[in-house]
Amino acid sequence: MQFAKRLEKIPPYLFAEINRKRNELVAKGVDIINMAVGDPDKPTPEWIIQVMHEAVDDASTHNYPPYQGTQEFREAAAKWMQCRFGVAGLDPNTEIVSSIGSKEAIHNTFLAFVEAGDYTLIPDPGYPVYRTSTIFAGGECFPMPLKAENNFLPDLSAIPQEVAHKAKLLWINYPNNPTGALATLEFFEELVAFCKRYDILLCHDHAYSEMAYDGYKPPSVLQVAGAKDVAIEFHSLSKSYNMTGWRIGFVAGNAIGIKGLAQVKTNVDSGVFKAIQACAIAAYSHSSDAELQTVISVYQNRRDIIVEGLQSLGWPLQPPKATLYVWTPVPPGYSSTEFAALLLDKCGILVPPGNGYGAAGEGFFRIALTIPDERLREAIQRMRDAGIRYG
Ligand SMILES: *Cc1c(COP(=O)(O)O)cnc(C)c1O
């Protein structure tokens, strides 16, 4: 049997490679500290689980859900956008659609808008799905390098006019995976203006909207006046409520963007289990800031352990204000791949090399804050014992 050609064009999924390597070492009996995968280690909050128990006992949740999400779910999402970001007036019927977690909706947006000969403007380094889904759709990626000297924001003036004219989608993600960088509303304004000029659908992957520290509250791109003319935003409960396995989120914004995505989805999936939608409604409608803080403070504490630990080993590093990651340079003289291999061989520490997220990630590695505090401390200790320092 032969795979379709499109599969041959897909680079190996970053985490599939990482998991394979880990399994090899685990089989050899090595105690691996896995700081590679951004999957929360804590359980979903108990009160959400209680909602699930009740919802699953209710037989009215058992049949096919509406493709676009239940009316109640879309209304809860619209209200949350207003309470959380001050984005008023989103129409639950035309400007919001449920998603089976963001990843599905991200992929299907490419199928809805990209065809052969079209460009997608994608962040580099970035979430690998933007690249692979461009390939699935038959388009061409134009990577926008995120450089430290630009605070990991793309330089729009570096995008050639002819590329911009052929671009259908521009992807951004702030707070950013993997760099932990933030964007201001002013930068979102520039993006909205750029996408209006070239008739591009601006896609903001907001997976970390709630995962911010030290009191910082990330903005929504839909706060920009006129953003709804060109922008859609992808929200997910995965990271904010330790719900990666539940698979629920929503996309909000431009009605044409939502309509295209919904049309693909209607033909591909059959929506989200209504009991899970009930849990999401509860999270969007009744969750207090304090409840969210109990999830977030765990990561903020871990961030401090890692940042202080790396600083004590000579790393030049400021604590990131958001995301589950610390993105940091490899010591001078190493490539990303060499340094990741060194950490694995000498310390049994698994981290993704920065270039795994795109060529512009070269020179960096990423630490995920999704393992217990004592394991993070042990990782720093192993590095210290192995004589690994920055510079
Ligand atoms: C985790 C993540 C997602 C996907 O989250 P879902 O579980 O599919 O909702 C999307 N984008 C980025 C940048 C992520 O890190």
Side-chain angles (χ1 to χ4, degrees), residues 84-319:
R84 168 64 180 84
F85 301 106
V87 174
L90 282 166
D91 180 346
N93 294 315
T94 59
E95 295 174 333
I96 293 189
V97 64
S98 64
S99 68
I100 311 172
S102 293
K103 188 179 187 179
E104 167 270 303
I106 292 169
H107 172 74
N108 283 323
T109 302
F110 287 84
L111 294 191
F113 291 98
V114 178
E115 51 187 296
D118 291 340
Y119 274 103
T120 64
L121 303 169
I122 63 168
D124 174 5
Y127 185 56
V129 178
Y130 314 137
R131 174 179 298 275
T132 51
S133 293
T134 301
I135 298 170
F136 273 127
E140 287 285 328
C141 299
F142 184 88
M144 302 181 293
L146 308 184
K147 297 181 182 163
E149 61 263 34
N150 297 333
N151 299 317
F152 300 108
L153 299 173
D155 176 4
L156 300 180
S157 69
I159 300 168
Q161 287 247 345
E162 65 273 20
V163 171
H165 279 296
K166 287 195 212 164
K168 299 301 273 295
L169 306 177
L170 189 160
W171 287 84
I172 49 161
N173 159 229
Y174 292 99
N176 184 256
N177 175 13
T179 68
L182 311 176
T184 59
L185 264 185
E186 289 70 37
F187 186 69
F188 285 160
E189 281 167 13
E190 279 179 43
L191 286 162
V192 166
F194 181 88
C195 289
K196 281 191 185 179
R197 191 174 322 136
Y198 293 104
D199 190 24
I200 296 170
L201 182 62
L202 175 59
C203 301
H204 184 213
D205 177 357
H206 218 344
Y208 298 93
S209 70
E210 308 312 295
M211 310 312 289
Y213 312 122
D214 311 325
Y216 173 68
K217 287 271 189 194
S220 160
V221 75
L222 297 175
Q223 286 170 241
V224 173
K228 242 173 30 177
D229 296 342
V230 286
I232 55 176
E233 192 163 77
F234 296 70
H235 287 274
S236 168
L237 289 176
S238 283
K239 312 286 165 51
S240 2
Y241 292 97
N242 300 329
M243 286 173 73
T244 45
W246 296 56
R247 314 310 302 142
I248 185 156
F250 69 89
V251 186
N254 180 269
I256 296 166
I258 298 298
K259 189 174 180 183
L261 170 58
Q263 194 173 340
V264 175
K265 284 175 60 54
T266 301
N267 288 286
V268 173
D269 67 65
S270 297
V272 178
F273 182 24
K274 280 185 271 182
I276 294 178
Q277 293 192 56
C279 297
I281 291 164
Y284 284 129
S285 309
H286 305 305
S287 175
S288 70
D289 230 32
E291 278 157 346
L292 201 52
Q293 280 306 321
T294 57
V295 176
I296 292 168
S297 61
V298 170
Y299 299 114
Q300 183 171 319
N301 193 40
R302 291 174 181 174
R303 171 202 68 172
D304 293 341
I305 292 170
I306 281 295
V307 169
E308 283 160 26
L310 287 176
Q311 283 170 341
S312 77
L313 298 174
W315 254 268
L317 184 62
Q318 291 304 310

Side-chain angles (χ1 to χ4, degrees), residues 317-372:
L317 184 62
Q318 291 304 310
K321 285 249 184 270
T323 75
L324 306 180
Y325 312 107
V326 174
W327 178 252
T328 188
V330 299
Y334 290 95
S335 70
S336 288
T337 310
E338 285 165 354
F339 188 66
L342 179 82
L343 281 182
L344 193 55
D345 295 340
K346 280 203 167 178
C347 309
I349 293 173
L350 193 61
V351 295
N355 59 329
Y357 297 90
E362 179 53 49
F364 289 83
F365 67 105
R366 195 191 77 170
I367 292 172
L369 303 171
T370 48
I371 55 172

